Amino acid sequence: MSLDKSLKVRVLVSVGQHPKSGRERRADQDSRALELALGMPGFSVGLLHAGSESPALREYLGMGVKAIDVLKQPSSADVVPALVQALRNDSPDLVLCGTRAETGEASGMTPYRVANALGWPLVPAVVSISRGSDGTYEVLQALPRGQRRLLKVRTPFVATVDPAAAEARQSAFGPAQRGQLQAVAVASVADPAANDLEFSPARKRPKRIAAARKATTAAERFKAATVKSASKGGQVLVKETAAEKASAILNLLVAEGVIAVDSPS
Amino acid sequence: MSSIIRKDPRKNWILRNRLHPLHQQMLVAEGAGNNAVVRGPSGLIRKNPHNIGFIGPNGIKRIDRLGGSGTVVAAGQRGEAVDTRLPLVQISNPESWIVVVPDLAGGRLTSHDRDVLGQARQLAAANPACAVVALVFGDLSENLADDSNGLALAGVDRLLHFSGDDWNGYCPEQELAAMLAVHRQLLPQHWLFPDTHLSGNDRALRLATRLEERPAMHAWQIRDGRVTCRAGSERNDVTRSLPKVVALLAECAMPVDDSRHEVLPMALPELPGVLARIQDAGAVAVDPNQIAMAEAGFILSAGNGIHDWEQFHEAARVLGATEGASRVAVDDGFMPRFRQVGATGTWVTARVYVAVGISGAVQHLQGIGACEKVIAINTDAGCDMVKRADLSVIGDSQEILAALIEQVKALRQPAASEGGRHHVA
Ligand SMILES: Cc1cc2nc3c(=O)[nH]c(=O)nc-3n(C[C@H](O)[C@H](O)[C@H](O)COP(=O)(O)OP(=O)(O)OC[C@H]3O[C@@H](n4cnc5c(N)ncnc54)[C@H](O)[C@@H]3O)c2cc1C
């Protein structure tokens, strides 16, 4: 398929942190988003970051991008208005983000708010995007249990990339140093609601003890905490013919919905 | 009549003397069964040590010191009687609302849904006129809405059910419109969602965006009007005052287990026409062997009882199951190491796990602890896998797999001519 004009994809990237050491790095999901963007033929890829010019951003440059536009924002600012402003000026066809940041509150609201402000649809948990035949884009969405769903969307839209998407390529050191962090001065909007947030190191969540609440005697509590739910012992087929046994299995598989009967794709 | 307790010394004497010929008769006459009150000579209640316990099956006296919590006594009765005995909680004129949008994966309440409903009940408990509303999209599996089942026992007072073909696929924009309409109608105190990939999480974020609320995502504890959420990289917790929109992690609260609720259907609000900009083109067939073992929903697992490996692979392909293996099958070189299920392999979470020729060693059973339905195919009816399985067929694996392959092919026959499935990594 020949493309008359180059389409623009903007990837919103953030600074991540290593889950164990807490060291700054490229965010895993954002780099997957960049990987996805780099793999789309006919698109020119641009990166956008709102915040400070952290050296960790260079890891994205090392994936083969010339420059990142850094919208200078203080750490207390709400970055969405700045991002929306920049995207309006730039008017890309597609915006890709990670599902969830690695630092801060990490609620995953940014892509939704950006899409809402731009008035574009938001497609969550994407693993691949390709051009469909009728001008729409075919977006493959990751469902739980490794399943996939096909969606059709018209550009422009915002998509968040699922952690199940292809892993990002390595970041090369040389290109990372040569690339540009282009600072862009933009107005910043304070985020007063952030003052209510109280950060503390993650506490271990209490393990749930089964049915302990109902127990009245010590023996019951002990049993609830230790005994695994005893198997009720299922149905056992011994005398039937192989065909009958197989059909019993098949019935269960169909009842559980793991075998599609009427709608094979 | 005076309230003085009269004593009959003779009667008391006989009651105390087990060797007296009239002792038994007197006991019966006094109604002194095992737990009847016996008064001593001074009018004090006496405990007869000989009446404690019961005579066991082989004539030996047994004393049960478990206080009635023994397995045999407890099991039978409780399970069955639960529905009718739980008290029904009715809220006739609700003044405030808490809306829960359960996932209902496959039309059934997940344990995560129950936890979130349990949390909703805890929040609603502060105000006796506060009702918990379940907002449900898509079809429910049968008898979930029935009052002694599912939703009623999970703590749902009112039900808003958008059903029909329009609601079964992925329709986030339409769902958002419905949520906004419900919001306008009820002005709920809180919206609670299970924080699950693509369903609860996505809905919560869409709603919060439109309501211009800052949602509490990945919340795991609500206490004293403050909510604690897991922040980025799971390294920090964020605590804040409880907002309108909350997406809760699993095990955030205990599910409801001591009351029954009405599940009254409510009138659905008028929905504006929605322009769906995201079209659902349906599920895509995925090569089951590309799915990570730990995630796979349907696993066909092979053990030492498999002799025809070609046939096993074909069975997995025909059934569309992800392949698994026991350690012996892996050690013998028939399956790759990453397919091993069990303590030293992968801990799987499949909904359906079919164990073919696997004896069920503890190390293997550990790995399938989270599986919902286990099917065993084995020659040995006494093996541990059969004890664990919900359905066991005893017989030669080769014959049974052959019959199964044949039947599945027959079932798929009409569709088989439509051409190959297209595979996705
Ligand atoms: C430290 C340690 C860690 C381990 N970790 C794991 C682990 O992670 N995962 C794991 O799987 N094992 C593990 N094991 C090994 C485990 O103890 C068992 O040895 C192993 O699971 C047995 O595998 P199996 O059931 O396939 O073989 P077997 O025990 O030989 O059972 C074969 C079964 O097939 C049946 N059978 C035979 N012929 C047929 C036929 N024609 N048709 C139908 N059925 C037939 C038999 O009745 C028998 O029940 C571990 C062991 C140790 C010591």
Side-chain angles (χ1 to χ4, degrees):
Chain A
M1 191 182 308
S2 69
L3 298 166
D4 30 349
K5 82 174 179 66
S6 167
L7 294 158
K8 272 195 277 188
V9 51
R10 286 287 170 271
V11 185
L12 308 187
V13 294
S14 62
V15 177
Q17 66 177 344
H18 188 275
K20 289 290 178 288
S21 69
R23 196 166 155 254
E24 285 195 349
R25 59 163 195 183
R26 61 176 182 179
D28 178 67
Q29 294 182 14
D30 298 353
S31 47
R32 282 174 202 258
L34 177 54
E35 179 67 45
L36 183 64
L38 291 172
M40 297 197 324
F43 275 91
S44 72
V45 180
L47 297 188
L48 204 53
H49 171 74
S52 60
E53 294 163 280
S54 158
L57 290 174
R58 291 202 171 270
E59 291 188 27
Y60 295 108
L61 295 171
M63 290 171 67
V65 195
K66 293 265 153 45
I68 300 184
D69 290 336
V70 181
L71 312 173
K72 297 273 251 178
Q73 296 280 303
S75 60
S76 60
D78 178 2
V79 295
V80 172
L83 288 172
V84 170
Q85 183 65 48
L87 289 171
R88 281 219 181 97
N89 293 342
D90 191 43
S91 64
D93 301 277
L94 186 56
V95 175
L96 294 181
C97 328
T99 310
R100 195 185 168 190
E102 290 180 2
T103 56
E105 199 188 348
S107 61
M109 270 293 266
T110 304
Y112 285 80
R113 289 179 61 208
V114 168
N116 189 48
L118 294 172
W120 296 358
L122 181 126
V123 188
V126 163
V127 288
S128 85
I129 299 176
S130 57
R131 262 201 110 148
S133 44
D134 49 350
T136 60
Y137 280 81
E138 294 194 335
V139 177
L140 212 54
Q141 195 178 41
L143 303 183
R145 297 219 175 272
Q147 301 300 310
R148 301 281 184 264
R149 173 161 58 200
L150 192 65
L151 304 174
K152 291 189 173 165
V153 202
R154 279 178 195 283
T155 49
F157 63 94
V158 181
T160 66
V161 174
D162 195 81
E167 208 174 317
R169 63 192 69 183
Q170 274 195 337
S171 173
F173 184 75
Q177 301 310 306
R178 288 193 292 277
Q180 297 279 311
L181 296 181
Q182 292 165 343
V184 182
V186 278
S188 73
V189 179
D191 180 14
N195 294 336
D196 182 31
L197 306 183
E198 220 177 86
F199 282 85
S200 55
R203 261 185 301 150
K204 214 172 183 172
R205 292 184 59 191
K207 249 202 174 143
R208 176 179 285 179
I209 299 172
R213 207 163 57 149
K214 276 279 177 64
T216 46
T217 64
E220 248 174 61
R221 277 195 298 277
F222 178 71
K223 212 169 63 196
T226 52
V227 175
K228 287 246 177 76
S229 64
S231 74
K232 305 125 273 159
Q235 194 191 357
V236 182
L237 305 182
V238 187
K239 296 232 173 62
E240 288 78 354
T241 64
E244 282 167 354
K245 289 171 183 166
S247 70
I249 296 178
L250 189 57
N251 287 344
L252 183 60
L253 297 181
V254 172
E256 284 297 313
V258 289
I259 288 196
V261 199
D262 18 335
S263 60
S265 40
Chain B
M1 280 215 17
S2 82
S3 59
I4 300 169
I5 298 166
R6 300 274 166 204
K7 28 184 191 180
D8 177 348
R10 180 174 166 273
K11 198 157 83 184
N12 275 341
W13 180 67
I14 297 175
L15 280 174
R16 280 205 307 277
N17 184 357
R18 281 184 300 137
L19 301 178
H20 194 281
L22 293 178
H23 179 74
Q24 284 304 329
Q25 285 167 21
M26 198 63 88
L27 270 184
V28 175
E30 286 293 285
N34 265 358
N35 299 317
V37 176
V38 176
R39 295 203 178 258
S42 60
L44 284 178
I45 294 177
R46 312 305 303 256
K47 213 181 200 173
N48 181 356
H50 300 291
N51 277 347
I52 296 173
F54 57 95
I55 304 298
N58 42 13
I60 298 174
K61 183 163 205 169
R62 324 254 40 173
I63 299 177
D64 177 12
R65 295 191 199 277
L66 284 174
S69 67
T71 18
V72 207
V73 191
Q77 272 190 341
R78 279 194 201 160
E80 291 143 15
V82 158
D83 294 356
T84 47
R85 270 204 234 136
L86 288 179
L88 178 68
V89 176
Q90 283 172 309
I91 298 177
S92 38
N93 289 312
E95 284 160 15
S96 62
W97 307 89
I98 292 179
V99 183
V100 176
V101 188
D103 275 354
L104 291 164
R108 284 185 235 170
L109 275 178
T110 62
S111 66
H112 195 164
D113 289 339
R114 284 180 203 277
D115 296 345
V116 174
L117 284 164
Q119 180 69 67
R121 277 252 78 85
Q122 282 181 22
L123 291 174
N127 176 359
C130 179
V132 174
V133 187
L135 173 56
V136 173
F137 300 113
D139 292 341
L140 289 176
S141 74
E142 71 263 33
N143 69 37
L144 194 61
D146 144 18
D147 77 325
S148 60
N149 226 318
L151 293 172
L153 294 183
V156 176
D157 297 312
R158 298 286 190 278
L159 178 66
L160 277 163
H161 187 188
F162 290 92
S163 60
D165 278 349
D166 294 356
W167 297 91
N168 281 334
Y170 182 64
C171 47
E173 289 145 322
Q174 199 179 335
E175 288 178 359
L176 176 63
M179 289 193 286
L180 290 172
V182 170
H183 189 83
R184 277 190 298 272
Q185 185 182 328
L186 299 180
L187 289 175
Q189 275 181 357
H190 297 291
W191 281 88
L192 305 189
F193 298 83
D195 195 334
T196 44
H197 184 77
L198 264 188
S199 16
N201 186 285
D202 185 36
R203 287 176 186 144
L205 289 170
R206 283 183 201 274
L207 180 69
T209 308
R210 287 298 292 275
L211 297 181
E212 302 194 358
E213 282 279 337
R214 195 190 193 102
M217 306 299 291
H218 321 287
W220 59 273
Q221 189 175 57
I222 297 180
R223 192 182 274 176
D224 308 330
R226 309 228 354 128
V227 55
T228 307
C229 311
R230 271 285 132 90
S233 308
E234 316 272 300
R235 297 181 86 235
N236 285 310
D237 279 339
V238 191
T239 308
R240 50 178 295 195
S241 48
L242 188 62
K244 251 208 169 70
V245 180
V246 187
L248 293 145
L249 296 179
E251 302 201 356
C252 52
M254 284 308 250
V256 174
D257 61 353
D258 49 7
S259 53
R260 206 153 42 93
H261 298 261
E262 298 173 286
V263 203
L264 291 182
M266 292 172 75
L268 299 178
E270 276 297 306
L271 291 192
V274 183
L275 171 72
R277 292 181 295 179
I278 304 175
Q279 277 172 33
D280 186 353
V284 175
V286 181
D287 177 2
N289 280 332
Q290 301 279 5
I291 302 173
M293 288 274 286
E295 272 198 78
F298 176 26
I299 296 180
L300 183 71
S301 201
N304 203 15
I306 292 279
H307 305 297
D308 182 350
W309 286 92
E310 282 306 313
Q311 187 202 32
F312 171 75
H313 294 305
E314 170 165 23
R317 201 179 47 74
V318 171
L319 289 171
T322 306
E323 290 181 7
S326 78
R327 174 145 169 191
V328 172
V330 172
D331 283 351
D332 290 352
F334 293 115
M335 295 286 274
R337 179 63 68 194
F338 69 91
R339 294 260 166 238
Q340 181 180 326
V341 172
T344 43
T346 311
W347 293 54
V348 298
T349 57
R351 289 232 324 276
V352 180
Y353 185 84
V354 186
V356 192
I358 298 180
S359 59
V362 273
Q363 293 92 350
H364 193 87
L365 291 185
Q366 271 175 2
I368 60 170
C371 295
E372 265 173 43
K373 283 271 182 317
V374 175
I375 304 177
I377 302 180
N378 206 305
T379 42
D380 174 10
C383 70
D384 288 331
M385 185 56 85
V386 171
K387 291 188 191 121
R388 164 73 171 84
D390 300 272
L391 170 67
S392 317
V393 300
I394 309 303
D396 183 45
S397 61
Q398 211 163 333
E399 279 175 32
I400 294 170
L401 284 184
L404 189 59
I405 292 172
E406 204 175 288
Q407 292 187 13
V408 175
K409 278 188 176 160
L411 198 67
R412 293 244 168 92
Q413 204 68 67
S417 54
E418 280 173 26
R421 298 139 61 89
H422 80 259
H423 291 291
V424 179

